[in-house]
Amino acid sequence: EVQLLESGGGLVQPGGSLRLSCAASGFLFGSCAMNWVRQAPGKGLEWVAIINGRGQTTYYADSVQGRFTISRDNSKNTLYLQLNSLSAEDTAVYYCAKSDMGLYGDPIDFWGQGTLVAVSS
Amino acid sequence: DIQMTQSPSSLSASVGDRVTITCRPSQTINSFLHWYQQIPGKAPKLLIWRASRLQSGVPSRFSGSGSGTEFTLTITSLQPEDFATYFCQQTYNTPFTFGPGTKVD
């Protein structure tokens, strides 16, 4: 059974940093691209970033480029998202999400339950 | 970036109704269009991938069609558990944008 368990969310002040983690199990982690998707309260889904299976290739949404970093440790079956220079606009539930296979063309076929990041003074 | 629009933004329907939702990307995306269902308070769930392929375990009342710049999601006979918000997403080119969603209530 595929499981994605996010952690690391919480309340952070504007300008602060946070690192999210996602522990994966139930599938061949290193063979699948992984995403972060966020959802602000009462809003729609916003794709944030993707990383390929080997961790060599990453892409980001324009809104987070240069502030967020996606990474992975395949030896630990864990996905990460480093969030820097946070602002109120980054307040959202952050979902860890597994791509069916590769970077392009494939859907997100499984989602974690999400972790809430709240940016406020 | 590829912009995604969905119509309608919301619709009212009854159990047994046929429901159709449209997604239009701002440029052609071949068939790299996927549909997700989100129930309030829950994570999204994949329904249809690559425009028309039914995800394993999803009831056959859900179907998808289209290519290029117009895609549709159809629910042939709406069930109580189908009242939710539906999102389309393109994975043709980064950023992998989502549509704004269609709320079915």
Side-chain angles (χ1 to χ4, degrees):
Chain A
E1 179 190 6
V2 174
Q3 290 194 349
L4 298 172
L5 186 60
E6 301 97 335
S7 60
L11 178 63
V12 60
Q13 291 190 337
S17 298
L18 213 56
R19 188 175 86 154
L20 307 182
S21 299
C22 172
S25 61
F27 64 101
L28 204 56
F29 182 70
S31 294
C32 297
M34 296 293 295
N35 305 260
W36 288 98
V37 177
R38 67 184 181 181
Q39 187 169 35
K43 302 297 185 182
L45 301 171
E46 181 185 14
W47 178 84
V48 172
I50 192 169
I51 186 168
N52 74 331
R54 297 179 68 179
Q56 303 158 316
T57 303
T58 59
Y59 297 105
Y60 297 91
D62 295 343
S63 58
V64 306
Q65 180 77 49
R67 299 189 300 122
F68 291 8
T69 302
I70 188 171
S71 62
R72 64 193 297 160
D73 185 339
N74 287 350
S75 69
K76 296 181 179 179
N77 282 6
T78 302
L79 177 72
Y80 303 100
L81 186 68
Q82 177 68 40
L83 295 73
N84 296 332
S85 302
L86 286 162
S87 70
E89 289 69 38
D90 298 312
T91 294
V93 172
Y94 284 73
Y95 292 102
C96 168
K98 169 187 169 294
S99 286
D100 185 30
M101 280 295 289
L103 286 176
Y104 289 96
D106 291 321
I108 291 172
D109 66 350
F110 196 82
W111 302 65
Q113 287 306 301
T115 187
L116 177 62
V117 173
V119 184
S120 175
S121 55
Chain B
D1 297 0
I2 299 173
Q3 310 302 319
M4 308 293 287
T5 60
Q6 282 183 239
S7 60
S9 57
S10 65
L11 65 92
S12 293
S14 301
V15 172
D17 284 353
R18 179 185 181 93
V19 169
T20 299
I21 299 168
T22 300
C23 178
R24 293 186 176 88
S26 59
Q27 65 183 73
T28 184
I29 58 170
N30 292 339
S31 62
F32 297 150
L33 186 286
H34 321 294
W35 291 98
Y36 303 89
Q37 175 195 64
Q38 188 178 33
I39 293 168
K42 300 290 188 181
K45 170 188 170 184
L46 176 64
L47 298 176
I48 302 288
W49 54 284
R50 294 203 182 176
S52 61
R53 303 182 190 191
L54 190 67
Q55 175 67 354
S56 176
V58 173
S60 59
R61 63 181 179 273
F62 292 93
S63 65
S65 64
S67 65
T69 59
E70 184 163 327
F71 300 84
T72 60
L73 172 70
T74 300
I75 311 171
T76 53
S77 178
L78 196 69
Q79 297 301 300
E81 60 268 29
D82 301 336
F83 290 94
T85 301
Y86 295 85
F87 297 93
C88 60
Q89 183 203 22
Q90 64 82 18
T91 57
Y92 177 76
N93 206 0
T94 57
F96 291 151
T97 40
F98 288 91
T102 296
K103 184 175 182 180
V104 177
D105 59 19

